[in-house]
Amino acid sequence: MLINQIDTRQGTDSTSEFSHGNTLPYTGVPFGMNYLIPQTTFDDTSWSFSPTSHQLAGIKITHQQVLGLAIFLALFCQL
């Protein structure tokens, strides 16, 4: 497979009425914690990306686990 044949938007055209895979267009290293994804809407919704949108509203961070980090630091780090 050639790199120009990869489309990370595959399966991203989902709505609350019908899911086409319910995926996000991010590419990262295996077992990565956080990823940056493009956000194409300013609305407060869980559907923050649309592959047919022609605007960029911002960049969103996925899998942000603040509580898990606080518990980890409390248990395993001497501050």
Side-chain angles (χ1 to χ4, degrees):
M1 175 175 282
L2 300 174
I3 193 75
N4 61 354
Q5 295 175 326
I6 298 172
D7 186 0
T8 58
R9 297 171 298 166
Q10 182 69 34
T12 60
D13 194 16
S14 297
T15 63
S16 58
E17 290 83 26
F18 186 78
S19 174
H20 291 277
N22 197 21
T23 60
L24 293 172
Y26 60 77
T27 304
V29 297
F31 308 108
M33 285 292 290
N34 296 327
Y35 296 98
L36 300 175
I37 62 167
Q39 183 171 343
T40 58
T41 181
F42 290 100
D43 299 334
D44 185 20
T45 177
S46 59
W47 304 97
S48 60
F49 177 79
S50 172
T52 58
S53 178
H54 295 287
Q55 72 174 358
L56 178 65
I59 302 294
K60 192 172 187 176
I61 298 176
T62 63
H63 301 96
Q64 197 171 11
Q65 300 178 0
V66 177
L67 181 59
L69 179 60
I71 293 171
F72 174 81
L73 291 175
L75 293 175
F76 299 106
C77 296
Q78 299 289 328
L79 299 178

